[in-house]
Amino acid sequence: MFTFEEPLVLLLILPIIAGGLYLIKKGAKRTLILSRIIVLSLLVVALASPFSIVSEVTSDDTPQIVIISDETNSMELFKEGVGDKVYESLTANTPTTLVRLSGDSSSLGDAVEQYSSGDNQIVLVTDGNNNFGKDLEEALQFAEEVGTTVYSVEPELENNDISVQILGDKTVVIGNENQFDVLVSQAGNEEIRYSFEVYAGDILVRSGTFTQQTRTRTIRVPYTFKKLGAQELSVTLTPLTSDKDGINNEFYKAIYVVPKPKIKLMTSDTSAPLGNVLYNLYDVSNTNELTNIDDKKTIVLDNRNIRTLSESDIEVLKEFVADGNGLVVVGGETSFDQGNYLNSSFEDLLPVLSKPTDWKGGRSIVLVLDVSQSTFHHESLSDILGNAIFILEDENLRDAYAGIIAFGSEGIDVSGGLVYLGNQANVLKLEEDISALTPGSTSETSLDQGLLIAQEWLENEAGELDIIIISDGGIEQSYEDSLVVADEIHNGEIQFYYVHVRSSAPSQRDQFGNIYAENLMESVGGIYFPVEKGERANLEFEDLDIPDETEDDEPVMTSFPLIEYNPNHFITRNLEVEGNVTGYNDVTPKAGADRIVVTATGKPLITTWRYGLGRVAAITTDNGKGGQATWSSQMYSGNNSRLISSTMNWAIGNPQVEEGTVVEGDDTWYGSPSTLYITRYDEGVPKLKYKGETLELAVTGKNTYETTIEPKNIGMHDVSGYPIAVNYAIEYRDVGLNEDLPVLIKANGGKTYSENEALALLLTDAKANSLKSVQQPVSRKLYFLIAALLLFLTEIAVRRIREIRAANRERTE
């Protein structure tokens, strides 16, 4: 296939043809004119500069290398001079540049992006903790896209260090119990001991002494603030074992306590458990009319039949939610499917349809993807990744959990475990991670290593469990080991699929011509699914075996255990839900809704979504008291009651009262500025003061402003009554090696080394990775010139031969 540099030149062929036809019409020799037309046309084609794109493999025995040596303060825990040693080792043999990073923050992502030029390779000598500027994962993806391979060298840890933080909401409601997490981290994995004290202002909230053997430990601290305005939460940690630096053993958290948010509860029974929870936590007004709602954060509809809502009421609710407020709809015997919501205009607001759900959830799948070198050499990688993305987009998996594992010489956790597919953002992130996968630097295909990770992920999971291997089938090296692991997994009743992208890889078959992938599936009772390049595997996932509550030959279930279907959602985060319900409204989640809590049979109990700027939650069981029978009393008792308050807090969003001047801003780190965001609900321009000086405000929108402060000392700071906490420099927050860095490096085509491995192997690998397939344009005009010349000479030769023969005949006559 040819492409032309000057395609317009081809238009000259038209007058050549027209002129030739004119001469033929006037009596010129037809054969001669046709020959000249072809010759001239070939010359015009050559003049248009035809070319084709050819892939060429280029190599470089002296690749350009940039060493980025992280010498920020956190690196004081590690052996010094590693970057210099690697530089000295490389610079004698290949062009090498040394870049040093220093200071109280690590901008690894910025450095990677800055020095990725496409014709070089980068070596990061670092602990991998990127805490400022460009996200490191995005920077590594950028480097791969432009053609720069990034490696990392892990220096040896010589000193242990302990750091402490407090995690939790900054804006809290007065009188409500809040849960904060004290996160203690250590640089190493040794056994450490420490004591700690947590204070709310001058009040000791919690203290104790712990022994810790893991990298991190979370200590839960519940506390209820009883005064409005700026408050302080702090923790002091006293190490009883080795600790390099004490600067990160104290942490402050600013708390801003606001009045109880105003909500409207529309119910016929305020004494029900639902009402008890709401009246204890919020400023509740109870009426049956949708009036006086301008100052309300959320409206709660408890067991309302559609007849109690007029069309004007529904329009009011839609406008209320779309403007940024919340709506919580609670079920019961006259609500949802039993309240005629189906196909009503009110149902437009809700994250569910009021009809029985055809549940497809309860499934966990692990995609095990072959990214070995053979997939690159035999051009099957794009089909392997394409089939993985195609499977993720299967509508029947919308309520499943999925994880991605890649394997080459080793297994790589790509997704960070199982991820919920009901969230479209999760699906897009998985697809991005899959698309970014590249082959490793070795030729090994260790399927068994990928299966070992899948086994670990699924060993404690329940429900339908599937492992889907997508590979070119070249698993000869690891077949026996893979068979052993697969047999162990299969004993756990996990379904196997093998999508075999057929290619020219010789290691797909044994000496007798048997296909390894097919034999593997026969051994474990899995499904072998061969596809050709360009094809996609239409795997059919069987319907789940869900208990049927109405079959006559089965006992009717009277109690349904509660299951956290999305444990990472705001509502269920840090909750341990236990208990049962005895009834529910049978509904179907809409596309785009988040299923948060379900019954063991998959029926939704709490479902959420966004409507306009607001939030809507459907609690599809009753208020804990019910009518003739109570469905959900256990949901409103003990720890489970936090499900209701968490759902309300999610629907409320920002609990601050929308009046006067509202200030919001995050706490910050020493040496880093803090940005404050101001909204003015009254007339006039707001005024904020910091250390006695009036701050200059920048207008960012209608009644919205921004300003920045630069605190000079650690501790609590006051901005017109709004608190900002300043803690130790961010460089001291993350201590030790970032365990995610090797995975990120591997996922983007690089490799991680120890110091000794880098000195011995890095240059060899850099040379191997300098092999690149380059698309080069190759001119093809010479072929057309030769064709034109040969045709012209042939035509002259034929004509000359005819003339000689004619002359000879005349002489003989």
Side-chain angles (χ1 to χ4, degrees), residues 357 359 361-363 462-464 544-549 557 559-565 577 579-584 595 597-605:
T357 180
W359 192 56
R363 175 180 276 115
E464 182 74 17
L544 302 186
D545 185 16
I546 303 170
D548 189 336
E549 305 149 35
M557 292 188 68
S559 183
F560 307 94
L562 302 175
I563 304 294
E564 293 180 38
Y565 195 75
V577 178
N580 304 279
V581 296
T582 59
Y584 52 81
R595 194 175 302 188
V597 177
V598 300
T599 68
T601 56
K603 302 298 185 178
L605 292 182

Side-chain angles (χ1 to χ4, degrees), residues 388-458:
I389 292 174
F390 181 78
I391 290 171
L392 288 181
E393 293 174 346
D394 191 314
E395 182 64 23
N396 287 333
L397 298 181
R398 185 174 66 84
D399 294 317
Y401 282 80
I404 310 298
I405 297 169
F407 69 91
S409 59
E410 58 185 359
I412 304 170
D413 176 354
V414 176
S415 61
L418 298 173
V419 176
Y420 179 54
L421 296 184
N423 186 327
Q424 186 61 23
N426 289 347
V427 177
L428 293 175
K429 180 64 168 58
L430 289 178
E431 292 179 358
E432 289 177 4
D433 292 341
I434 291 171
S435 299
L437 290 174
T438 56
S441 57
T442 66
S443 59
E444 297 180 25
T445 306
S446 302
L447 171 60
D448 57 307
Q449 298 301 308
L451 292 178
L452 285 171
I453 299 176
Q455 182 181 29
E456 180 182 346
W457 284 1
L458 297 179

Side-chain angles (χ1 to χ4, degrees), residues 7-22 37 40-41 44-45:
L8 293 178
V9 174
L10 296 174
L11 296 176
L12 294 175
I13 295 176
L14 296 178
I16 291 173
I17 295 174
L21 295 176
Y22 176 78
I37 289 174
L40 291 175
S41 297
V44 169
V45 172

